[in-house]
Amino acid sequence: MPRTYGGWFRLVAIAEAISWAGLLIAMVLKYGFDMPFAVTVMGSVHGALFTAYVLVCLIVFSPLRWSFGVLVLAGVASVPPLATIWFERWAAKRGLLTVVESDEPTFWGKVRQIN
């Protein structure tokens, strides 16, 4: 099991992309081979993993110190098939999946300072 924010993000991003591919295959089975149950099952799996991906993005963006733009890009990547894998690789190349030590507060730390 992952032990870091980046590891959890990577796991869920890849799982979401695989479920997208599974849903596309299920649609072929439904419309090409008259097997509607495939979409029922994979639709539920993909829906759960899509929701998990969005939640993980919202959880990890502060400790990973993502900008709002990076958070939006991560969210947009959940829409096209397999784009979460592209985003995960893009973020990893830029060091966005590792916690950076800084004296500056995280997003939620800044929100607390406002109150």
Side-chain angles (χ1 to χ4, degrees), residues 28-109:
V28 169
L29 292 174
K30 177 180 179 176
Y31 295 109
F33 299 97
D34 196 30
M35 298 173 67
F37 186 69
V39 170
T40 303
V41 172
M42 279 311 299
S44 297
V45 170
H46 175 66
L49 287 168
F50 172 83
T51 303
Y53 175 81
V54 171
L55 289 174
V56 166
C57 287
L58 292 172
I59 290 167
V60 305
F61 92 96
S62 182
L64 293 177
R65 299 181 182 276
W66 288 356
S67 67
F68 183 71
V70 171
L71 177 62
V72 169
L73 186 59
V76 169
S78 67
V79 178
L82 308 176
T84 56
I85 291 177
W86 167 84
F87 177 81
E88 182 272 327
R89 291 189 178 169
W90 177 86
K93 284 181 186 176
R94 285 157 181 76
L96 296 173
L97 298 182
T98 57
V99 175
V100 177
E101 296 297 325
S102 173
D103 292 334
E104 185 178 328
T106 63
F107 173 82
W108 294 116

